[in-house]
Amino acid sequence: MTTSNKQTSPRIQRTLPKTGVDWLHNPVFNKGTAFTEAERDALGLRGLLPPHVQTMAEQVQRVMANFRSKSSDLERYIQIAGLQDRNETLFYRVVMDNLEELMPIIYTPTVGKACQEYGHIFRRSRGCYISSNDRGLVEKVLANWPTRDVKVIVVTDGERILGLGDLGASGMGIPVGKLSLYTACAGIHPTQCLPVTIDVGTDNETLLADPLYIGLRQKRIRGGEYDALIEEFVVAAEKLFPGVLIQFEDFGNRNAFRLLEKYRDRACTFNDDIQGTGSVALAGILSALRITGQKLADQRVLFLGAGEAGIGIAENIVACLVEEGLPLAEARKRCWFVDSKGLVIKSRKDLTEHKLHFAHDHAPCGDLLSAVKLLKPTMLLGVSGQPKTFTEEIVKLMAEANPRPVIFALSNPTSKAECTAEEAYRWTGGRAVFASGSPFAPVTVGGKTLVPGQGNNAYIFPGVGLGVVCTGARRVTDAMFIKAARTLASLIRDNELAEGRVYPSLSRIHEVSHAIAVAVAQEVYAKKLNTLSRPEDLPGYIRSQMFKPEYPNYTAK
Ligand code: NAD
């Protein structure tokens, strides 16, 4: 049997189901009530489905009516995850057609709640779990995955899930959600995506005491034992899925930077919390400058939080300034940090290596308010995971010092945001250029409706991944993320900027991901990092590789 849909080719490499019930129970092949009369006859499905053959549009209508009738976002998450487990094609049709409504459910903020409740809402296993009990067996465990045609892995060890901390094996919701976005935003084929959770234990006492927790009942392993397990995973993944892109996701601070440095020149890998965040925030900053009419070199950026996100963003700002001709040391002086111990300055003895680049000569300063008073930043970026830290006094000081203060409250989920969109706009009389990590609704101030930007990494990583996969890139470089940021910023239209947006509407995500993939591919070829030859029509080729959720005709000759 063949399928008439060339675009879904990766799926036909998998063994076709044998019985009618197998067809219905396999989410890759299942069409549910949309199996045609001819398919029902040919595949042994007659009688196993209600008689009326539905169109996909009717199925979408049913799913969305159900979705909207639910009483909570967590219920919506459970419903939509159930659909993904039953019928992937319909799941992606629904998500792609309703991305703005679905994104906050399949990703932040609801995915955070789902991870917190993972053991309690668990229905069906998705992804691959590798535990510290699997030492020496990781290749065997990964080989249980049903296909070798894996192009993208998102892997977490669950230690720093969004701004929610250590959720251990319950962090699986994040790789699952991120990979859904690879498909929904950039059309990476769903069967080429593999979510992985490495369960090394958890230090979260609540989870350890929870009888329904899904992970190992042990404290996290660390040091050499931990490193050996990660190494075994990377080696096995590269062996079983040659050239696979490995995205490290939501690792704790102490491992994230180390692992990025260890693997970035050895494997096709990146860390989205550092590099993806750096890129999406840089794009927001470049768009904000189009609103304020200023130059990047004239900014003084103050960060609250000097972790993966903050340092990642600062490194990207610096790289961008260096590209524009500023010496490295000068570029670094544009970025200042306040962490949990106060202003990051040279005289502090407690700084980790990644913070040292941004430790400047300055007198000690213990808190954000004093730092804002002293430094008079033009941009204030919150990446601390500490809610309500951009107080009215701080935001008003920003508005006193700047005609259009740039205020990004990026901590996730919504409950962790440093301030809300409404607060930022109200306290500045509508002058703030605002973006957040999780979505906020538009706000009307003084008769004008302002649309807050969502600095969602989903603007960047799916497009970068598509560019990497389409070129067979051997490495992922920082330059690719700068290209992605510049491309994203260039796509925002004047009418979107006029509404206060610093990112294009999510409804344009396919166009955005495609443009980023083309820019990344050009960078790959320029640096000779490709393993696949360059097609004549690069944009056309990349578009042809993007998955479209359409049902194949299983009886076509
Ligand atoms: P992290 O744990 O690596 O870093 C957190 C930093 O905040 C640390 O430097 C810590 O010292 C500092 N901090 C903690 N308490 C503080 C306090 N009271 N005052 C000042 N600083 C304090 O985490 P991360 O990966 O950098 O993520 C931070 C936040 O940013 C999270 O909420 C995350 O969800 C969010 N984030 C948003 C985006 C986005 O919007 N696109 C992307 C990535 C991360």
Side-chain angles (χ1 to χ4, degrees), residues 54-69:
Q54 284 191 308
T55 62
M56 199 181 220
E58 285 169 341
Q59 291 181 313
V60 171
Q61 187 189 350
R62 166 165 44 81
V63 171
M64 288 311 292
N66 226 307
F67 180 85
R68 288 172 185 143
S69 74

Side-chain angles (χ1 to χ4, degrees), residues 46-290:
R46 191 157 290 281
L48 301 183
L49 289 161
H52 173 63
V53 175
Q54 284 191 308
T55 62
M56 199 181 220
E58 285 169 341
Q59 291 181 313
V60 171
Q61 187 189 350
R62 166 165 44 81
V63 171
M64 288 311 292
N66 226 307
F67 180 85
R68 288 172 185 143
S69 74
K70 300 284 176 203
S71 57
S72 74
D73 283 344
L74 190 59
E75 287 297 326
R76 290 184 187 96
Y77 178 91
I78 293 168
Q79 182 218 346
I80 215 71
L83 176 62
Q84 188 173 21
D85 288 340
R86 288 193 308 276
N87 181 340
E88 277 188 358
T89 318
L90 183 58
F91 168 80
Y92 282 109
R93 178 81 279 151
V94 166
V95 173
M96 286 181 178
D97 287 357
N98 301 277
L99 197 59
E100 281 178 274
E101 195 172 348
L102 269 287
M103 177 92 87
I105 305 298
I106 61 172
Y107 209 65
T108 183
T110 310
V111 73
K113 179 80 182 145
C115 287
Q116 287 174 311
E117 305 282 332
Y118 219 64
H120 293 246
I121 63 171
F122 190 84
R123 261 71 172 168
R124 186 170 176 174
S125 191
R126 173 167 283 271
C128 187
Y129 292 87
I130 294 166
S131 89
S132 47
N133 294 342
D134 297 324
R135 273 295 310 282
L137 298 169
V138 174
E139 189 183 325
K140 256 188 158 168
V141 173
L142 273 182
N144 285 337
W145 192 250
T147 166
R148 291 288 171 276
D149 189 31
V150 172
K151 299 289 184 205
V152 186
I153 289 175
V154 175
V155 57
T156 189
D157 73 353
E159 191 172 11
R160 199 243 57 194
I161 295 300
L162 303 170
L164 300 169
D166 184 351
L167 297 184
S170 301
M172 181 56 111
I174 297 295
V176 167
K178 284 245 156 157
L179 284 163
S180 298
L181 296 181
Y182 266 106
T183 302
C185 300
I188 307 263
H189 200 283
T191 60
Q192 295 180 322
C193 296
L194 168 55
V196 175
T197 289
I198 301 187
D199 182 1
V200 295
T202 178
D203 294 341
N204 182 328
E205 297 293 346
T206 312
L207 287 179
L208 288 173
D210 181 350
L212 297 185
Y213 174 54
I214 59 167
L216 292 181
R217 269 41 173 195
Q218 67 178 42
K219 293 276 184 173
R220 283 184 175 274
I221 60 162
R222 298 202 183 271
E225 228 186 316
Y226 174 91
D227 284 359
L229 187 65
I230 303 288
E231 172 73 12
E232 202 185 327
F233 158 70
V234 173
V235 170
E238 287 194 299
K239 183 173 169 196
L240 291 171
F241 316 116
V244 66
L245 169 63
I246 302 174
Q247 172 177 329
F248 282 84
E249 185 69 36
D250 285 4
F251 281 68
N253 216 304
R254 67 185 108 176
N255 290 320
F257 287 103
R258 243 171 19 87
L259 295 176
L260 176 60
E261 286 319 311
K262 181 169 176 184
Y263 291 110
R264 65 187 306 161
D265 296 326
R266 238 187 72 181
C268 182
T269 182
F270 73 100
N271 180 305
D272 189 55
D273 306 301
I274 301 171
Q275 295 158 289
T277 305
S279 182
V280 80
L282 175 62
I285 287 170
L286 295 175
S287 300
L289 292 173
R290 281 173 64 190

Side-chain angles (χ1 to χ4, degrees), residues 50 56 62 87 124 170 175-176 200 222 316 323 333 342 377 420-421 428 436 449 502 554:
M56 199 181 220
R62 166 165 44 81
N87 181 340
R124 186 170 176 174
S170 301
V176 167
V200 295
R222 298 202 183 271
N316 269 19
E323 266 185 26
K333 283 187 193 153
T420 64
T428 60
S436 54
T449 300
V502 289
Y554 291 115

Side-chain angles (χ1 to χ4, degrees), residues 378-419:
T378 55
M379 299 185 164
L380 182 61
L381 269 58
V383 272
S384 62
Q386 303 300 312
K388 301 280 157 217
T389 36
F390 290 176
T391 59
E392 183 168 356
E393 190 177 6
I394 288 173
V395 172
K396 285 191 164 161
L397 276 172
M398 288 294 295
E400 266 171 39
N402 301 285
R404 299 296 308 265
V406 175
I407 299 175
F408 287 4
L410 295 173
S411 287
N412 290 321
T414 319
S415 60
K416 303 284 180 186
E418 284 78 5
C419 67

